[in-house]
Each structure stands twice: as C-alpha cells, then as structure tokens.
Amino acid sequence: DVSLSKPRRFSRMFFNLCLVILGIFIGTLIAELIARRFFNVQGQLFEYNPSTGYITKPNRSFESKTPEFMVRYETNNLGLRGPDINVENLGDCTILGLGDSFTFGMGVEYEETYLEVMRRALLNPPHENFGVINAGQGGWGTAQQAVFLEENIAVFHPRLIMVGVYQNDITDNISPNLF
C-alpha cells in the first residue's frame, strides 16, 4: 500500500515479522516434541560430564527399537549398564570393563553383553566372589575411558581391568572436540 503512512507500514511489518517468528518457534517446538517422543535415545540416556564430555544417566530404563533389534536398556545407580552396584560389597575380585558401545552392549539385552556372559561363566563353577562392572559408554575412545578409570579406580578397586578396543578408538582419541 502506497497510501499507508510510514509508522503504519512499520507496525504492519513488525506484526508480520512477529507472526513469522512465532510460527518458526511453534514449528520448532512441535518438531522437538516429536523428536523427543520418537527418536531421542541420546537425550534419554546421556548427560553432560565435565571430564569425559558425557556419561550415561543413572537409573534410566527405556526401549530402543530399530529395524535390526528391540532392546531394553537399564542403567544402575551409578549410571552404568546393569544392576545396581553396592561399592561397599563388590566381591573378592572386581573386574572393571571399559569400552565403547560394544562393551556397553548397544543392540543387545544386558544378559547378552560380553561382560555379563563372562561373569556368569566365572561363577559356574564358582571360583571366587567375582564382581563385574560394565563401564562401557557408547562413543567413548580410550582417552575418555582412561579419564573415567582415573576418577573411579579408588571407588571400584578393580583387580582386573578389561578394555574393549575397536578400530575407531584411535580416531576418537585424536578428535579435536574430545574434551
């Protein structure tokens, strides 16, 4: 409109701009809610950690469904995969397993993780009172695992430390955004 005065034209443009911003905000909010409801496994499971970048949240339970598998993931009181851990009663021989998503057991039930299979094998026939801790974290390289170990070795007092290494661990360690 050529006949509109400058203040009125400005008011109309400002109003239209506000409507566009509101529309973008509402659209983004709806997309975020849909993503959290149907796709956000990461947000359900991980939280920020200043030493390692992220770590699994304690006491979480959720299902992950993909075309390849459906798995229930549960983290314990310490935020690690598996049943709750009483650090005062870990057993005579504690084995601490470190690694990435293979150690964590991404894609398999907890009973199928290699550390849990090993724990059951060690108890049949019973050798010692073994405590096996699965400290695997999806996406961690050996640098993050070393930081976790340094911060938690006095908590777990492991007699044996197993490190699951995969071919991508070298490149994970040289990532410029590691910490």
Side-chain angles (χ1 to χ4, degrees), residues 58-96:
N59 302 312
R60 296 291 173 171
S61 177
F62 68 96
E63 287 183 353
S64 176
K65 296 177 187 177
T66 73
E68 298 170 344
F69 57 81
M70 185 187 89
V71 177
R72 171 160 289 286
Y73 297 103
E74 295 181 354
T75 59
N76 59 32
N77 56 315
L78 301 178
L80 305 175
R81 182 113 190 247
D84 281 349
I85 297 172
N86 178 355
V87 293
E88 303 298 322
N89 188 23
L90 288 174
D92 300 328
C93 181
T94 301
I95 301 171
L96 178 64

Side-chain angles (χ1 to χ4, degrees), residues 7-74:
R8 191 162 182 205
R9 218 177 325 162
F10 178 76
S11 296
R12 188 173 216 169
M13 283 180 23
F14 182 72
F15 178 75
N16 288 340
L17 179 63
C18 287
L19 284 178
V20 168
I21 292 172
L22 181 64
I24 290 171
F25 175 75
I26 290 173
T28 303
L29 180 64
I30 291 170
E32 176 73 17
L33 292 173
I34 290 171
R36 285 183 185 220
R37 172 67 175 102
F38 295 105
F39 305 110
N40 191 12
V41 171
Q42 302 285 336
Q44 294 178 36
L45 188 59
F46 297 103
E47 65 186 3
Y48 172 74
N49 179 283
S51 301
T52 60
Y54 63 90
I55 194 164
T56 46
K57 294 179 183 179
N59 302 312
R60 296 291 173 171
S61 177
F62 68 96
E63 287 183 353
S64 176
K65 296 177 187 177
T66 73
E68 298 170 344
F69 57 81
M70 185 187 89
V71 177
R72 171 160 289 286
Y73 297 103
E74 295 181 354

Side-chain angles (χ1 to χ4, degrees), residues 126-165:
H127 298 283
E128 287 187 53
N129 186 10
F130 282 95
V132 178
I133 299 170
N134 183 344
Q137 299 286 316
W140 273 10
T142 52
Q144 290 160 305
Q145 295 163 22
V147 169
F148 178 87
L149 178 61
E150 183 178 1
E151 291 180 352
N152 291 284
I153 195 163
V155 174
F156 300 128
H157 304 288
R159 283 185 47 194
L160 176 67
I161 300 167
M162 292 182 60
V163 179
V165 180

Side-chain angles (χ1 to χ4, degrees), residues 81 99-108 113 136-140 145 168:
R81 182 113 190 247
D100 59 10
S101 58
F102 286 96
T103 301
F104 178 83
M106 198 60 79
V108 298
T113 63
Q137 299 286 316
W140 273 10
Q145 295 163 22
N168 66 314

